[in-house]
Amino acid sequence: MIELLRDEPLTFLLVAGILLFSLVLHELGHAVSALWSGDPTARLMGRITLNPLKHLDPWGTLLLLFAGFGWARPVPIDPRNFRNYRVGLFVVSIAGIVVNLGIALLCVLLLRGLDSLGLAATYGTLTDAVLYAAAINITLAVFNLLPVPPLDGSKIVQSVLPLRWHPFIWRLEANPNYAIIMLLLFLTVLRAPVGQLIRWVQSEFFKLTLG
């Protein structure tokens, strides 16, 4: 993304706009699915909104734009309110990932539409921006699927784990020292293997959808 900012600033601005909206929709997906599952916590805290100021985390947004991965402000939930604890935990956790995959698919449909109309070259900047946006939404989906607390993937796994393990996971996620350690690991030791996984998924996604 840094190279994109330097070489194609207009494309960078388009990508940044799409990605910020993607982060907002990701968190909104969590908030709405939590309400559907019986938990009004997110609604009571004003998180069922498209207002980016309610959802975006400054550091997470900057990392997403310049390092290729990042995060938004987590949606507060109280699983005790779920009508079905395990189902609610699974649905709320996977909702943001489904939103990112949906955005990536919409980007692909737009790319295919531009190509079929012979406009892909004419609107090259838009085409490049949509392609980047699709790739980074895949990045967000894959990254959040990692079964590492506090990522969504850990809660998806948690939804099928024995209940006696859950309090430990919640305490781990609430520990600020753990969050710092995991951030440092993702920026160093885990950066290469996670990057390889993401690039592979992106490649397979584009082969499947764009041919």
Side-chain angles (χ1 to χ4, degrees), residues 21-30 95-97 99-100 144 152:
F21 190 59
S22 298
L23 284 176
V24 169
L25 289 181
H26 178 103
E27 296 305 324
L28 182 60
H30 288 312
I97 295 166
V99 167
N100 289 127
N144 276 288
D152 297 333

Side-chain angles (χ1 to χ4, degrees), residues 31 33-43 76-79 81-83:
S33 59
L35 184 61
W36 288 348
S37 299
D39 177 30
T41 305
R43 177 178 61 81
I77 63 170
D78 187 345
N81 292 327
F82 292 154
R83 284 185 289 273

Side-chain angles (χ1 to χ4, degrees), residues 20 23-24 26-27 55-65 67-74 140 143-144 150-151 179 182-184 186-187:
L20 294 182
L23 284 176
V24 169
H26 178 103
E27 296 305 324
H55 297 292
L56 297 180
D57 176 272
W59 286 110
T61 301
L62 288 173
L63 278 173
L64 178 64
L65 292 176
F69 78 94
W71 61 87
R73 291 173 55 206
L140 289 172
F143 183 71
N144 276 288
L151 300 178
M182 290 312 303
L183 176 60
L184 291 175
F186 277 119
L187 289 172

Side-chain angles (χ1 to χ4, degrees), residues 4-165:
L4 187 64
L5 175 60
R6 182 190 64 226
D7 300 333
E8 301 180 53
L10 179 56
T11 302
F12 175 86
L13 290 175
L14 288 172
V15 172
I18 295 172
L19 291 183
L20 294 182
F21 190 59
S22 298
L23 284 176
V24 169
L25 289 181
H26 178 103
E27 296 305 324
L28 182 60
H30 288 312
V32 170
S33 59
L35 184 61
W36 288 348
S37 299
D39 177 30
T41 305
R43 177 178 61 81
L44 294 174
M45 297 190 70
R47 296 298 297 272
I48 299 185
T49 176
L50 289 172
N51 181 357
L53 297 179
K54 292 286 187 177
H55 297 292
L56 297 180
D57 176 272
W59 286 110
T61 301
L62 288 173
L63 278 173
L64 178 64
L65 292 176
F66 296 106
F69 78 94
W71 61 87
R73 291 173 55 206
V75 166
I77 63 170
D78 187 345
R80 295 172 297 182
N81 292 327
F82 292 154
R83 284 185 289 273
N84 183 305
Y85 174 76
R86 290 187 183 275
V87 172
L89 192 59
F90 176 83
V91 169
V92 173
S93 301
I94 206 169
I97 295 166
V98 171
V99 167
N100 289 127
L101 291 175
I103 294 172
L105 286 172
L106 286 175
C107 289
V108 165
L109 289 175
L110 179 56
L111 288 170
R112 293 179 71 94
L114 289 171
D115 186 59
S116 66
L117 294 172
L119 298 175
T122 304
Y123 296 98
T125 298
L126 176 61
T127 300
D128 291 343
V130 173
L131 186 61
Y132 271 105
I136 299 184
N137 268 282
I138 294 297
T139 298
L140 289 172
V142 175
F143 183 71
N144 276 288
L145 268 173
L146 296 176
V148 179
L151 300 178
D152 297 333
S154 71
K155 294 184 179 64
I156 293 172
V157 173
Q158 185 181 345
S159 69
V160 299
L161 288 176
L163 292 177
R164 65 179 180 275
W165 294 7

